[in-house]
Amino acid sequence: MRGPGRIRLQVCIALSLLYICDASNSMMPNGFQPLKNSKSMDALAISTGAVVGALARHNMCEVAARMQMKPWGVAAINVAGSFVLGAVAASAPVPPRMKLLIGTGFCGSFTTFSTFSVDTVQMMQAGQARKAIAYVMVNNVMGIGAAGAGMMLFAGKLKP
């Protein structure tokens, strides 16, 4: 997406993030009526994170394709998403709604296990067993390692 549509989307996302994060809503335009229902706020947090995560995933996959690194862009996404989700899961000071925004919304749409699964099966069907095994190992071992590193770093057990 380019041009005015992209700018409008970015403004909507920014306003949603400000609204979700600013409990007093002091940064919102005059006359803006805040949502009173906490379920509505949770839904807004999740959907805002999901839009950002999906756009980030799309952009990373496009970059990987241009660099002729397909399907390794998906592996990078899964490892990065595992780190972020591990960090959020271990961060006690992160408010619950921010955990919904980042963990459920962003990471849920950013990481791509279903794409990973289909890519693996297609490699196997194409007779690329070694590539498929390497791909599975990178996604699983590095993803789990990144989640653990994120948890340790944000739980204060690992110094940057």
Side-chain angles (χ1 to χ4, degrees):
M1 180 185 310
R2 297 180 194 274
R6 184 176 187 166
I7 292 169
R8 281 192 296 269
L9 178 63
Q10 291 170 340
V11 168
C12 288
I13 291 170
L15 285 173
S16 295
L17 289 171
L18 282 172
Y19 180 69
I20 292 165
C21 299
D22 183 24
S24 68
N25 296 312
S26 61
M27 299 180 83
M28 298 309 292
N30 288 338
F32 185 82
Q33 296 298 314
L35 296 171
K36 301 291 184 197
N37 182 332
S38 70
K39 291 288 185 194
S40 298
M41 288 299 296
D42 291 349
L44 181 61
I46 292 166
S47 59
T48 300
V51 167
V52 174
L55 291 171
R57 171 185 167 188
H58 173 72
N59 288 335
M60 284 186 72
C61 286
E62 279 191 339
V63 168
R66 277 197 303 271
M67 296 174 61
Q68 298 180 346
M69 298 292 292
K70 190 175 188 233
W72 298 103
V74 172
I77 288 167
N78 286 340
V79 171
S82 295
F83 177 83
V84 170
L85 189 57
V88 168
S91 296
V94 175
R97 191 158 288 130
M98 282 303 283
K99 286 188 177 191
L100 287 175
L101 185 142
I102 297 167
T104 304
F106 178 81
C107 290
S109 67
F110 180 65
T111 58
T112 54
F113 194 79
S114 57
T115 305
F116 155 74
S117 300
V118 169
D119 287 342
T120 302
V121 171
Q122 288 174 338
M123 284 182 240
M124 295 295 283
Q125 290 173 337
Q128 300 172 325
R130 281 190 163 163
K131 185 176 179 181
I133 291 168
Y135 188 59
V136 168
M137 294 299 293
V138 166
N139 273 280
N140 287 298
V141 174
M142 302 252 335
I144 291 168
M151 292 175 83
M152 289 190 320
L153 180 65
F154 284 86
K157 296 180 180 169
L158 183 69
K159 302 295 179 203

